[in-house]
Amino acid sequence: YVYYAGHGAPAGVKGTTYLVPSDADSETVQLTVYPLKQFYKNLGKVPATSITVILEACFSGQSQKGYLSSRTSGIRVSPVIPKTPKKMTVISAGTANQVATWEKNSSQSLFTKYFLKAMSGEGDKKPYGNKDGKVSLKELKKYLDDSMTYYARRYYGRTQTAQIVVNGKELRIGK
């Protein structure tokens, strides 16, 4: 399991996505950050039968306070999320162009709060789960879609939908 909490951002004309450390310089972002594609490639080399990556980050280039780069002229780069290796599950706080939002009191992100609640058993309860004592990825997705997405809209009027990718394919559930 790898849990990354921090910023993500797109850069360049191709919208390459990067994990952004707290001390990164927004003016030289491509020199001071870690490409998500390289991160996945390196994890793919780990001799494990499965790897789960939880990304508490968004790749829109925005934060609750606005754009990460302070000197922009309104040009937006569309983030391109790389494909994940076959043995990898990626659970992310939102889709590529969405902002990952925080609780009103800034205590934690909405994703972390509701991810932890779901995994501690709430996601296995009705109406999300089947009460079998395990939280499946589908139950997690249902729980996050109902709780985290609701509060992102309620607090900030924005859409934030957790994304789960398993073996390179997005997990989709019916309502």
Side-chain angles (χ1 to χ4, degrees):
Y1 289 89
V2 178
Y3 193 102
Y4 172 80
H7 289 295
V13 293
K14 294 182 181 179
T16 302
T17 47
Y18 297 92
L19 300 176
V20 182
S22 61
D23 61 348
D25 178 354
S26 64
E27 301 307 313
T28 57
V29 70
Q30 290 172 299
L31 302 174
T32 59
V33 295
Y34 190 27
L36 189 59
K37 185 176 184 177
Q38 186 66 46
F39 176 64
Y40 289 164
K41 184 178 177 182
N42 289 344
L43 284 176
K45 294 176 184 178
V46 174
T49 55
S50 77
I51 297 169
T52 301
V53 176
I54 298 108
L55 289 175
E56 170 52 270
C58 65
F59 295 92
S60 63
Q62 300 178 63
S63 72
Q64 297 256 118
K65 296 178 183 175
Y67 287 97
L68 295 177
S69 180
S70 59
R71 296 178 227 161
T72 60
S73 62
I75 296 174
R76 290 185 42 151
V77 176
S78 295
V80 177
I81 302 296
K83 290 192 178 210
T84 59
K86 293 277 187 211
K87 63 182 179 178
M88 192 177 297
T89 297
V90 177
I91 304 166
S92 59
T95 63
N97 60 351
Q98 294 175 343
V99 176
T101 51
W102 283 71
E103 273 291 342
K104 282 278 199 187
N105 65 5
S106 299
S107 61
Q108 61 189 323
S109 72
L110 292 177
F111 174 77
T112 293
K113 177 179 181 174
Y114 292 104
F115 173 79
L116 293 175
K117 284 180 111 171
M119 296 308 291
S120 66
E122 293 297 311
D124 189 42
K125 295 178 181 175
K126 299 276 183 203
Y128 317 105
N130 59 8
K131 298 168 83 176
D132 67 353
K134 298 179 232 167
V135 180
S136 71
L137 290 174
K138 285 185 178 184
E139 291 170 338
L140 172 64
K141 176 79 170 121
K142 285 179 189 176
Y143 185 84
L144 290 172
D145 283 353
D146 194 51
S147 56
M148 179 196 72
T149 301
Y150 169 80
Y151 283 104
R153 282 191 187 123
R154 181 175 174 193
Y155 293 161
Y156 304 104
R158 66 171 64 121
T159 300
Q160 180 182 348
T161 309
Q163 191 172 43
I164 300 175
V165 177
V166 182
N167 296 322
K169 294 183 182 176
E170 184 176 355
L171 175 70
R172 298 190 186 270
I173 56 169
K175 293 275 176 180

